[in-house]
Amino acid sequence: MTRLRFIGTTSDDGDCPTLYEVEGTTDILVQGDRVTDPGQLAQLRDVKDSETFVLVPRDLLVRFAPRTTAPEMVPFSEIALLFRDFKHTAFRLETRSGYASDRNSPKWRRWKDGTDISAEPDNAWRENVRAQTALRKRFERVRLVDQPLTEGQQFLLASGHGNVSAGEDIRNLYRAEAAGIGLPDHDFWLFDSRLVARFVFDEDDATLGVILSEDPAEVAAACQARDAAWHHATRTADFARAVPSTG
């Protein structure tokens, strides 16, 4: 199934018009009110039977239309240095109900066996988090969660305490509320409010790679999503207390 990636909208209350990217292509899908005015339709050129026409405000295109060609996907390993070299803030939005990398890890099996994974020894990720936060940099993360939490989300909540202890600020936001405030439905890292690394997954939640972009429209959309998510999300400790069944 071809996936659409939400780019942005200037509408209120989830109303159209809206722009989407057709993943895996260079196409942009435009959602808007259909043109029905006979006078306008009569002025269109070379109209095909398969075509339809919509109206969108100029402001939507000015704010969100991509200004660069679509970049290629690269392996996630290629952005490893960004987690050390960023200047002030690395922000992650997590939107999926689960991740193959979690399910395939030894930590998952320990958790399934009933082991408390909230305070395990540091790994390379947490060691780097400690090093960067000691330099007054910030690691921030908002996780969208369902009601009730999926198994993958329960695992992340249980394991997230170790990341928080290392210096990450991880917060949780229910998916229904995220939809209400117009958050995107794709995962990304945002580095220093200037570079977006957008994840590409397969149908089994495995990471295929990331797409890097400094396109002003995409960066602006990511910054807006971060600000909205951060305002509404709940800190890990507070959220965990409200969901006692997850441990």
Side-chain angles (χ1 to χ4, degrees), residues 55-68:
L55 291 171
V56 298
R58 182 183 297 271
D59 185 48
L60 177 67
L61 300 179
V62 170
R63 290 177 60 186
F64 295 111
R67 293 168 172 78
T68 60

Side-chain angles (χ1 to χ4, degrees), residues 81-90 132 135-138 191-194:
L81 289 178
L82 292 174
F83 296 102
R84 185 196 68 192
D85 295 342
F86 71 96
K87 302 301 183 184
H88 51 79
T89 308
Q132 302 310 316
L135 298 174
R136 302 181 68 82
K137 301 180 188 180
R138 292 185 57 81
F191 297 95
D192 296 330
S193 301
R194 67 168 188 83

Side-chain angles (χ1 to χ4, degrees), residues 10 20 38 43 51 56 68 82 107 144 164 178 206:
T10 53
Y20 304 87
Q43 298 176 62
E51 292 179 330
V56 298
T68 60
L82 292 174
K107 192 173 185 178
L144 304 191
V164 171

Side-chain angles (χ1 to χ4, degrees), residues 83-174:
F83 296 102
R84 185 196 68 192
D85 295 342
F86 71 96
K87 302 301 183 184
H88 51 79
T89 308
F91 170 84
R92 170 76 183 271
L93 180 68
E94 294 183 2
T95 68
R96 301 184 76 82
S97 60
Y99 296 87
S101 58
D102 292 333
R103 296 192 296 269
N104 296 330
S105 69
K107 192 173 185 178
W108 176 277
R109 292 190 290 274
R110 293 195 297 274
W111 174 70
K112 292 285 288 184
D113 289 337
T115 302
D116 181 2
I117 60 172
S118 63
E120 293 198 333
D122 275 355
N123 55 18
W125 174 263
R126 289 195 291 272
E127 288 174 356
N128 181 63
V129 169
R130 292 185 190 279
Q132 302 310 316
T133 55
L135 298 174
R136 302 181 68 82
K137 301 180 188 180
R138 292 185 57 81
F139 277 93
E140 301 173 343
R141 193 186 301 250
V142 171
R143 290 172 167 158
L144 304 191
V145 294
D146 298 283
Q147 289 181 293
L149 271 63
T150 66
E151 188 176 45
Q153 291 162 357
Q154 292 177 32
F155 168 81
L156 287 173
L157 183 58
S159 65
H161 296 286
N163 285 33
V164 171
S165 296
E168 279 198 67
D169 192 342
I170 301 178
R171 305 188 181 191
N172 296 270
L173 178 65
Y174 282 116

Side-chain angles (χ1 to χ4, degrees), residues 176-195:
E177 187 173 1
I181 59 175
L183 291 187
D185 61 354
H186 59 271
D187 285 38
F188 65 82
W189 277 102
L190 174 64
F191 297 95
D192 296 330
S193 301
R194 67 168 188 83
L195 174 65

